[in-house]
Amino acid sequence: MKRKNHWVLFAILLLALINLSPSEETTLVRPEDRGETLPFTPPEASNLQETGHIQVAVQMDESDFRRLEEMNRQFTVIHPVEVDLVNVPAEETYASFQRQLMKLGDSPDVLLLDNVWIRRFAADGYLLPTEGYYSGSLSGEVLSASLIPNEWNGYVWGVPLDVDPYVMVYNPAKLKQLGLEHPPASVDDWNALLSAYKKQRSQPYLLGLDYRDPYAAATLLWQIGGGWKPGGTEPFFAVKGNMPFSLQQMEQIQPWLLDSGAAGADAWEKLNSDELAMMIVPATDAQKHTHPQMKVWMPEVQPNLASSWIRGRSYAVSSQTDNAEAAGLWISEMTSALNQMRWQESSGQLPVVKTIYYEAARNELPAWIPATLAAGAGAALPASPALPGQLEAFATLTYDYLSGAITAKQYRGRLAELSQ
C-alpha cells in the first residue's frame, strides 16, 4: 500500500512539472500574454517593411505639386505605403539628380524626369527597368511619342506621365492678311508666308519663340524645312537631309523673330495687340494665355517625320532603391487613366493613354489636338543617351545666332562641327 502511494505521488508531481513548463508552441503563439515580442519577424511583416516607405523627387510648380500631394494622400489611404514627396527647386539641374544617384543610400526611390534624360540615366546604370510596374503601356496603350524615348537596350526605363507638345498660337486675322487661312503646314506655305510678309510688313514681328528653348528652336527648324527624318547616329540638328534648307529659311526669317522668353508677358501682349502674328510655345503655356481672337494649332503627327517637339515626363525608379515593389505600386496609381484625366484637368498637361483620346473623355481635351497624336505609330523624336548634351550645345549655339552674336554662316559651320 505504501509503495502504491509513492507511485501516485510521483505521477502527480510529474503532471505538475509538465503543466508548469511552457511548451514551444505556447512560446511562439502567445508571447503577447507575457508582454514579450516575437523572437522573429514573419515574412509578411518583413516584406511590408521593405516595400512600405519610398521617397519621390519631382520638379513642379506649386499648383501642380499640390495636386500631386492630393493624389498621393488618396493613394496612402488605400495602400499601406508611406510616401515622402520632395519638390526639387527649379534651379536644381539634372546634374544634382545624378550626384544623388551616385551616393548609396542618398537617392530617391522614384524620380520624375524629362523624357530626354531617361536613356542617359539608364545607360549610366542609375535606373531599373519599369515595364513590370504598369499595365497596358506595352500593349499599345501609350502614345508612341511618350514610350519611344523610354526604350533602350531592349527594356523600358520609365513610365510616361504626361506630354506637352509645342504648338503654334496665332492670330487668324493677321495670317489672312498675309494670304493664309491657317498656319503654315508645308514648305510651300512657309515660302508664301515669308514672301507676303516681306512685301507687307503689316506688324513688327512675324513669329515669337524663346531663344533659349532648344525645343522651340528645333520645332521651328523642322517646320520651315519640311520636318526632321531620323537616321543613323547623327543628332537632330545634323546638317543633312532637310536641315540645309531649314537653315536657309531660318536666315531669312531671323530678322522678324521676337525673343518671347526675354519679352515675357510683353510677347503675349504683342500677339494680342496685332504686333505679332504667331508664337511657338508649349501647349501648357498656350492654355494659360487664352484670348478670344487667338487660335492654337499643332501639325499632324507622322511616322518617321518630326515637325513639332512633343515634350514629356516619366516616372523612373532608382537602381539603388530597396523598395521597388512599393515604387511600382505608387507609379501605377499615379499614371492610371483616371488620374491622367485628373492631372490634365488640373495641370494642363496632356495624358499619355491612347484610349482617352478616343473615348468620351476626348471632349474634355483641347479641340486643337490632331487625331494622329494618338493614332500615329512610331512618331519620330530624338532619343539617345547623348541627347541631353546635344540639346545643351544646340541651345547655346542657337541662342547666339538668334540674338545676333554670330552670323548664319558661323551658325551653320558650328552645327556641322557639333554633328561630327
Side-chain angles (χ1 to χ4, degrees):
M1 182 70 180
K2 187 175 183 180
R3 181 183 298 272
K4 183 177 180 181
N5 290 338
H6 286 167
W7 279 112
V8 172
L9 180 59
F10 177 78
I12 292 173
L13 290 173
L14 181 62
L15 289 173
L17 287 173
I18 292 174
N19 288 333
L20 289 173
S21 300
S23 68
E24 181 179 1
E25 181 180 4
T26 304
T27 302
L28 297 179
V29 176
R30 297 291 302 273
E32 63 272 18
D33 292 343
R34 301 186 305 276
E36 298 175 3
T37 57
L38 290 172
F40 67 96
T41 304
E44 295 80 8
S46 176
N47 185 57
L48 179 58
Q49 184 179 4
E50 291 175 2
T51 63
H53 188 185
I54 60 172
Q55 184 184 83
V56 179
V58 301
Q59 278 185 322
M60 297 179 176
D61 60 37
E62 284 303 313
S63 60
D64 287 353
F65 188 68
R66 285 194 298 270
R67 178 55 182 158
L68 183 64
E69 286 181 315
E70 176 58 30
M71 291 165 59
N72 182 63
R73 277 193 291 270
Q74 296 173 7
F75 170 83
T76 55
V77 168
I78 301 173
H79 303 283
V81 178
E82 183 179 351
V83 183
D84 295 332
L85 291 179
V86 180
N87 196 12
V88 181
E91 58 268 17
E92 290 286 334
T93 65
Y94 279 107
S96 65
F97 275 150
Q98 288 177 302
R99 287 192 295 270
Q100 288 184 14
L101 291 169
M102 291 173 66
K103 296 179 181 178
L104 186 63
D106 194 37
S107 166
D109 299 280
V110 178
L111 303 93
L112 182 62
L113 301 175
D114 189 308
N115 286 347
V116 302
W117 280 90
I118 295 292
R119 291 193 183 190
R120 171 71 173 273
F121 276 36
D124 289 343
Y126 295 140
L127 305 180
L128 291 178
T130 57
E131 57 257 47
Y133 294 166
Y134 59 109
S135 60
S137 296
L138 299 184
S139 60
E141 289 301 316
V142 164
L143 301 180
S144 297
S146 297
L147 193 58
I148 289 176
N150 292 349
E151 297 175 329
W152 178 76
N153 204 27
Y155 296 92
V156 179
W157 301 89
V159 182
L161 170 66
D162 53 29
V163 291
D164 192 11
Y166 276 70
V167 298
M168 187 83 75
V169 182
Y170 67 100
N171 185 327
K174 284 299 177 183
L175 286 186
K176 192 169 185 178
Q177 290 178 7
L178 296 170
L180 290 182
E181 296 293 334
H182 53 76
S186 66
V187 170
D188 290 341
D189 286 348
W190 276 101
N191 286 335
L193 178 64
L194 297 180
S195 178
Y197 184 80
K198 187 183 298 184
K199 294 176 182 177
Q200 295 185 26
R201 291 293 189 91
S202 55
Q203 61 270 331
Y205 303 100
L206 176 62
L207 176 68
L209 76 157
D210 184 348
Y211 287 3
R212 295 186 182 276
D213 186 346
Y215 307 116
T219 295
L220 176 59
L221 281 170
W222 294 344
Q223 292 189 8
I224 60 181
W228 173 73
K229 297 179 180 180
T233 59
E234 297 90 352
F236 65 92
F237 49 78
V239 184
K240 57 178 292 186
N242 294 339
M243 188 57 70
F245 179 70
S246 295
L247 295 173
Q248 293 177 16
Q249 295 284 75
M250 180 79 90
E251 183 177 6
Q252 185 178 174
I253 199 176
Q254 191 266 345
W256 310 328
L257 297 179
L258 171 69
D259 185 356
S260 61
D266 187 52
W268 291 98
E269 293 178 4
K270 291 183 183 301
L271 184 67
N272 296 334
S273 62
D274 298 340
E275 297 181 64
L276 178 66
M278 306 179 294
M279 275 209 302
I280 293 177
V281 297
T284 47
D285 284 356
Q287 294 182 79
K288 293 176 183 176
H289 296 86
T290 57
H291 191 278
Q293 68 184 33
M294 294 300 132
K295 290 188 176 182
V296 179
W297 174 79
M298 179 182 172
E300 297 289 339
V301 177
Q302 304 179 51
N304 300 316
L305 185 68
S307 54
S308 180
W309 199 290
I310 303 177
R311 194 171 183 176
R313 298 179 295 181
S314 297
Y315 284 114
V317 180
S318 167
S319 58
Q320 294 189 22
T321 184
D322 293 324
N323 307 292
E325 183 179 345
L329 182 64
W330 187 86
I331 291 174
S332 296
E333 184 68 21
M334 294 302 107
T335 58
S336 67
L338 177 60
N339 274 332
Q340 290 241 327
M341 284 303 302
R342 291 171 174 169
W343 187 246
Q344 189 274 326
E345 292 170 2
S346 61
S347 70
Q349 304 276 355
L350 298 181
V352 300
V353 178
K354 287 183 178 181
T355 52
I356 296 177
Y357 292 84
Y358 296 131
E359 297 173 352
R362 176 68 173 83
N363 297 327
E364 304 298 324
L365 300 178
W368 51 260
I369 299 175
T372 49
L373 179 61
L381 282 177
S384 74
L387 184 56
Q390 293 171 352
L391 280 165
E392 183 178 1
F394 172 72
T396 301
L397 188 57
T398 302
Y399 174 79
D400 288 344
Y401 169 53
L402 294 180
S403 60
I406 60 175
T407 66
K409 183 178 180 180
Q410 290 173 319
Y411 181 56
R412 175 173 177 148
R414 293 182 186 178
L415 281 180
E417 292 175 3
L418 288 175
S419 303
Q420 296 177 357

